[in-house]
Amino acid sequence: METTVLAAPPRLGPLYRAAALRRPSGSTLPERELRLDEVRVDLAHLAQYDRVCGFRLRDELPATYPHVLAFPLALALMTAADFPFPVLGVVHVANAIEVLRPLTSSDAFSLSVRAEELRPHERGTQFDMVATASIAGEPVWHGRSTYLRMLKKSGKSSTPSAEPPRPTAVWRVPRRTGTDYAAASGDRNPIHTSRVLARAFGFRSTIAHGMWTKGRCLAALEGRLPAAYTVSVQFKRPILLPATVAFSAGDGHIAVHDRGTGAPHLTGTVVEHRCADADEGAR
């Protein structure tokens, strides 16, 4: 796979214009990786992100924060002339993050992003955007975002919905959550920021970003997460803003569902990485 090393993060303004204007071409994912070296954390931006998602202000980076730093690289790949799908035509359906060791705000690291695993799905086509953070050539963080290029609408399932888990917390999610997270993350998809455009895409109101929901879940678990773990989630029904949702956590599972109807918004797992060496695992 070809690797292109960038001198600076891609500018989001031109990428959004490209997303709105470009026409997809080709039928395969590009065999290209984008890499940005010597990435350093802007403390003011980190504090903004922490406040939006509910994290405490501290030196250790939230597990979801490198995803935000990698977003411009992912968008640059997805708006390139050889990318086979339109950015506005794909849906983020799942995300898995692997923390191999905590990153801190003083670390300098490399970020790389590539697209892989184009595969059929009963409702269209799926692919993954894979991001990796490395220090001195050693991976310390991985993120895998699964996207669906939907070609068929899903019918109503005949399978009854499972009983939602007992909530451990109830969150009120204000309407401004969409715009606040967009400002902190750079992900300015209009379904999160404009009621008019959200309705044009079939939503009654703006919706919360899926990665905000995942970040909010991890913020609720601060102080209880292991040093090395994988957190995998599936994004179910969107959170229409404003909303009141219930959060559940226990036995390695996390979930967010509608407080009134019990409809699931997010389900997932947190799995600790077990270290074979006892002394290493006790660090």
Side-chain angles (χ1 to χ4, degrees):
M1 177 175 286
E2 172 194 353
T3 298
T4 300
V5 180
L6 304 179
R11 293 171 53 220
L12 288 174
L15 293 180
Y16 278 118
R17 287 192 289 274
L21 297 174
R22 73 174 284 272
R23 296 293 179 264
S25 64
S27 57
T28 60
L29 296 173
E31 290 288 328
R32 183 172 63 261
E33 178 181 77
L34 299 183
R35 194 181 83 214
L36 184 63
D37 294 331
E38 286 297 309
V39 176
R40 294 187 180 274
V41 173
D42 181 300
L43 295 180
H45 181 256
L46 175 62
Q48 179 188 19
Y49 177 85
D50 286 346
R51 285 191 293 269
V52 170
C53 293
F55 290 101
R56 299 194 301 268
L57 300 179
R58 57 179 188 150
D59 188 45
E60 184 176 318
L61 302 185
T64 45
Y65 187 67
H67 173 89
V68 169
L69 300 180
F71 175 71
L73 281 73
L75 191 58
L77 274 177
M78 295 171 73
T79 55
D82 58 351
F83 201 80
F85 307 114
V87 175
L88 296 180
V90 298
V91 181
H92 194 182
V93 295
N95 177 269
I97 287 173
E98 184 181 14
V99 177
L100 301 176
R101 72 108 158 134
L103 279 166
T104 70
S105 61
S106 58
D107 283 327
F109 50 90
S110 296
L111 271 177
S112 61
V113 176
R114 67 186 185 275
E116 65 179 34
E117 293 196 25
L118 187 67
R119 57 200 183 272
H121 184 273
E122 61 182 4
R123 294 167 60 190
T125 304
Q126 281 189 337
F127 64 92
D128 295 337
M129 298 298 295
V130 179
T132 300
S134 303
I135 296 180
E138 178 185 356
V140 295
W141 177 97
H142 291 294
R144 180 177 293 269
S145 294
T146 299
Y147 290 91
L148 171 64
R149 168 56 169 162
M150 197 179 304
L151 300 176
K152 297 188 298 184
K153 291 186 177 180
S154 61
K156 291 186 178 180
S157 172
S158 59
T159 304
S161 298
E163 185 72 18
R166 179 184 293 275
T168 54
V170 174
W171 303 333
R172 288 183 173 83
V173 188
R175 189 180 301 279
R176 63 179 293 174
T177 299
T179 53
D180 286 352
Y181 185 81
S185 68
D187 184 350
R188 297 184 179 276
N189 188 321
I191 61 175
H192 304 297
T193 59
S194 167
R195 279 182 283 181
V196 172
L197 292 177
R199 286 172 183 156
F201 281 90
F203 301 106
R204 294 197 311 272
S205 67
T206 54
I207 66 174
H209 293 71
M211 289 303 294
W212 173 86
T213 309
K214 182 173 184 175
R216 183 67 184 86
C217 290
L218 294 184
L221 297 175
E222 270 193 307
R224 291 182 282 165
L225 293 167
Y229 62 97
T230 296
V231 52
S232 304
V233 302
Q234 297 77 46
F235 302 118
K236 302 295 187 177
R237 303 184 186 187
I239 298 177
L240 300 173
L241 300 173
T244 301
V245 301
F247 167 69
S248 306
D251 297 324
H253 293 270
I254 56 175
V256 177
H257 60 270
D258 185 273
R259 184 70 177 91
T261 67
H265 297 300
L266 174 150
T267 60
T269 58
V270 179
V271 178
E272 182 177 6
H273 295 179
R274 297 293 183 181
C275 185
D277 183 275
D279 293 332
E280 180 72 13
R283 280 193 307 152

